[in-house]
Amino acid sequence: MASMSTYHSLNSTSFQQNYAFVPSTKQNAFASNSSFFGKSLSFSTRSTPLVPFSAVNPITASSRSHTFDVVIIGAGIIGLTIARQFLIGSDLSVAVVDKAVPCSGATGAGQGYIWMVHKTPGSDTWDLTMRSHKLWETLAESLDDQGLNPLEVLGWKKTGSMLIGRTPEEVVTLKDRVKQLSKAGLRAEYLSSNDLLLKEPALVVGEDGGAGFLPDDCQLDAMRTVAYLEKVNRHFASKGRYAEFYHDPVTCLLRSRSSGEVEAVQTSQNTLYTKKAVVVAAGPWSGSLVDDLFRETDIVLDLPVKPRKGHLLVLENFDSLKVNHGLMEAAYVDHHDLTQHPELVDQGQIMSISMTATMDSTGNLVLGSSRQFAGFNTEVDESIVDSIWMRAADFFPSLKGLSLTDFTRSRKVRVGLRPYMPDGKPVICPVPGLSNVFLATGHEGGGLSMALGTAEMVADMVSQNPLKLDSAPFAVQGRCC
């Protein structure tokens, strides 16, 4: 996603080397009309008097202008799935704009799990997560029906997930969680330490340990999934309904003098007019972006999205340890949820390490994970990498005799910034006072898990269709105003 001067992105060189992008700055790419889905769409320059929300980079005569029904700010998993939802579910035209490229933020740095084992039935995010999981499963099934391999296309694997406990107290909590998940309709079971050893021979939890096990949980590969989403979206480019404006930071919103509504998104290189909606899906940069865009207006909106930094350790072709399922220690749930201790967020760099372990779609071992508040810093902290390795060794004793320095050539470290909201819920709603500007951010580590449900909800909001889920928990009222 692109923000203002406060924006900081991860290096995207590797992604650019592996994926090509549809040219987005050719004027003639959007010059013709399209009758796709039975509706003619024209793309033309407007002359409506507009007033910029901010004095930064006001519209100039040399700016390139394009018109779309929907302009989406942010090309992470949330922004791209929202674009896809509009394209396949309506006849609207869509532009996606970003300062960087897809997968250059939290999406590309994540572990790719679509797990329910650590979720709580009845919570505000439960229905949204369940809906998203169903949509992911439907997508994987549809690929299979088309003769495509979901593993190759999405990195999709039904690994099952386990939440691991090592103390009597954790086991009691896990047993209760398994009962809740079963009552909620999921296939869930509790595994004793002996049962767990049969499924994960390298994992040692002691006689008092055990695990909650969801055999139907899945994971995917973020890079492959984003490449697929881009391919789907670009199919509509030739029909005049889709364009990408990457490496093109947003500088301001342009507001109509007569109606007061936002009518265009100004970037460093283009003016993107919108007929229907602007969607801010900027991940951890959403808060600073909204502050910059609305600073000199009558819109009062304090969007408290904070970057929550995370490290993952990837060991390529690692033969010393194999895991058969997605694994996560029970403490991860507490480390993830700070809603009961909001004061901790304001006390500096709070850092936690929780063991997570998966094998990715190419057979690499992925170990995690860390959580800390360190601003927009995305530099690798070797002390945290070492802590992740040592924490993994607590659960996998075979690692204790190995030194991480012996795997310098075959290891990679992913660093990403999760969009953290203090109450643990994403923001999915229109901006009060601006009926055509919508927010979709604050998913923290659940972006992949909640992406498709979020996309469906945003598309229904914009199109004024009946919502399939209650959106009230994700409104800004009482949270951001």
Side-chain angles (χ1 to χ4, degrees):
M1 149 45 225
S3 178
M4 308 280 285
S5 59
T6 54
Y7 176 78
H8 185 107
S9 68
L10 292 178
N11 187 302
S12 58
T13 303
S14 61
F15 190 92
Q16 292 172 268
Q17 291 172 343
N18 291 301
Y19 299 95
F21 295 97
V22 174
S24 61
T25 59
K26 291 184 180 179
Q27 192 75 19
N28 62 3
F30 316 104
S32 62
N33 293 344
S34 169
S35 58
F36 195 74
F37 285 116
K39 182 177 179 180
S40 178
L41 299 173
S42 63
F43 300 90
S44 60
T45 303
R46 291 190 185 180
S47 58
T48 306
L50 300 175
V51 99
F53 262 153
S54 119
V56 181
N57 279 1
I59 186 170
T60 64
S62 62
S63 296
R64 291 185 288 262
S65 300
H66 314 281
T67 300
F68 302 89
D69 292 306
V70 180
V71 177
I72 299 169
I73 304 173
I77 192 67
I78 300 299
L80 292 177
T81 52
I82 291 172
R84 169 184 173 272
Q85 185 67 32
F86 280 119
L87 293 168
I88 68 173
S90 74
D91 59 357
L92 300 179
S93 58
V94 180
V96 176
V97 58
D98 199 300
K99 181 177 180 178
V101 294
C103 262
S104 57
T107 297
Q111 207 157 359
Y113 54 74
I114 309 292
W115 300 346
M116 295 299 295
V117 70
H118 61 302
K119 306 297 184 182
T120 302
S123 65
D124 285 334
T125 59
W126 175 260
D127 288 342
L128 178 61
T129 307
M130 283 289 287
R131 176 64 180 169
S132 293
H133 281 217
K134 180 176 178 58
L135 292 172
W136 278 119
E137 290 170 357
T138 300
L139 174 57
E141 291 169 1
S142 71
L143 291 173
D144 191 56
D145 291 341
Q146 297 170 45
L148 301 173
N149 185 344
L151 175 62
E152 294 178 358
V153 176
L154 302 175
W156 180 266
K157 296 197 300 180
K158 184 175 283 190
T159 58
S161 67
M162 296 182 181
L163 193 61
I164 312 297
R166 298 192 297 177
T167 68
E169 294 78 14
E170 288 178 338
V171 164
V172 170
T173 301
L174 288 175
K175 289 180 178 179
D176 182 61
R177 179 177 292 274
V178 166
K179 290 179 181 178
Q180 291 183 57
L181 293 170
S182 297
K183 288 181 180 178
L186 298 181
R187 196 155 63 102
E189 59 181 294
Y190 173 76
L191 301 177
S192 67
S193 59
N194 290 332
D195 294 333
L196 181 56
L197 186 62
L198 294 175
K199 292 186 178 295
E200 292 289 349
L203 180 66
V204 177
V205 297
E207 294 183 358
D208 294 330
F213 177 41
L214 267 63
D216 296 327
D217 273 357
C218 299
Q219 67 185 55
L220 48 75
D221 181 274
M223 291 290 191
R224 294 189 187 190
T225 300
V226 164
Y228 168 76
L229 291 171
E230 287 289 273
K231 182 178 179 180
V232 171
N233 292 350
R234 290 175 190 150
H235 168 76
F236 296 89
S238 62
K239 307 176 190 302
R241 292 187 54 215
Y242 178 70
E244 298 161 350
F245 297 85
Y246 296 156
H247 300 292
D248 193 7
V250 172
T251 57
C252 66
L253 301 178
L254 304 180
R255 196 175 187 181
S256 169
R257 293 183 186 275
S258 56
S259 68
E261 287 197 342
V262 171
E263 292 203 358
V265 174
Q266 181 68 53
T267 73
S268 62
Q269 303 176 45
N270 295 277
T271 304
L272 307 178
Y273 290 92
T274 175
K275 297 179 184 178
K276 203 166 186 70
V278 173
V279 181
V280 178
W285 294 278
S286 298
S288 58
L289 177 63
V290 166
D291 286 345
D292 286 333
L293 296 181
F294 295 163
R295 181 174 293 120
E296 298 178 13
T297 75
D298 56 353
I299 304 300
V300 179
L301 182 65
D302 177 18
L303 186 61
V305 178
K306 295 178 180 291
R308 199 174 187 188
K309 184 178 180 180
H311 288 65
L312 288 177
L313 172 62
V314 182
L315 296 169
E316 298 176 331
N317 304 313
F318 190 71
D319 297 326
S320 300
L321 173 66
K322 297 293 182 183
V323 297
N324 302 317
H325 306 82
L327 307 178
M328 175 187 292
E329 69 168 291
Y332 178 97
V333 178
D334 294 329
H335 292 163
H336 175 274
D337 183 9
L338 287 179
T339 57
Q340 302 303 315
H341 306 283
E343 72 282 355
L344 296 179
V345 181
D346 299 321
Q347 295 177 5
Q349 294 192 15
I350 304 164
M351 204 269 289
S352 63
I353 302 289
S354 305
M355 187 283 293
T356 62
T358 59
M359 304 297 295
D360 70 13
S361 58
T362 58
N364 300 320
L365 178 65
V366 183
L367 298 174
S369 65
S370 68
R371 278 181 153 80
Q372 67 179 137
F373 295 99
F376 288 93
N377 182 305
T378 56
E379 295 180 1
V380 173
D381 186 327
E382 290 296 339
S383 67
I384 292 178
V385 177
D386 290 341
S387 295
I388 288 174
W389 178 254
M390 290 186 289
R391 188 61 179 170
D394 288 342
F395 289 82
F396 302 102
S398 61
L399 299 181
K400 291 185 175 180
L402 303 175
S403 172
L404 190 54
T405 57
D406 295 335
F407 305 100
T408 303
R409 293 185 178 181
S410 62
R411 75 159 218 186
K412 292 182 178 179
V413 178
R414 301 176 188 169
V415 178
L417 302 176
R418 308 175 184 94
Y420 167 86
M421 275 291 290
D423 60 5
K425 300 180 294 185
V427 179
I428 311 168
C429 63
V431 173
L434 290 173
S435 61
N436 68 331
V437 179
F438 295 79
L439 303 172
T441 186
H443 298 75
E444 208 198 316
L448 282 169
S449 291
M450 291 185 271
L452 294 186
T454 298
E456 183 181 66
M457 183 176 290
V458 170
D460 284 341
M461 286 178 174
V462 171
S463 302
Q464 297 184 335
N465 296 328
L467 300 184
K468 298 172 180 64
L469 301 173
D470 180 15
S471 65
F474 313 116
V476 297
Q477 285 77 7
R479 305 169 65 205
C480 308
C481 297

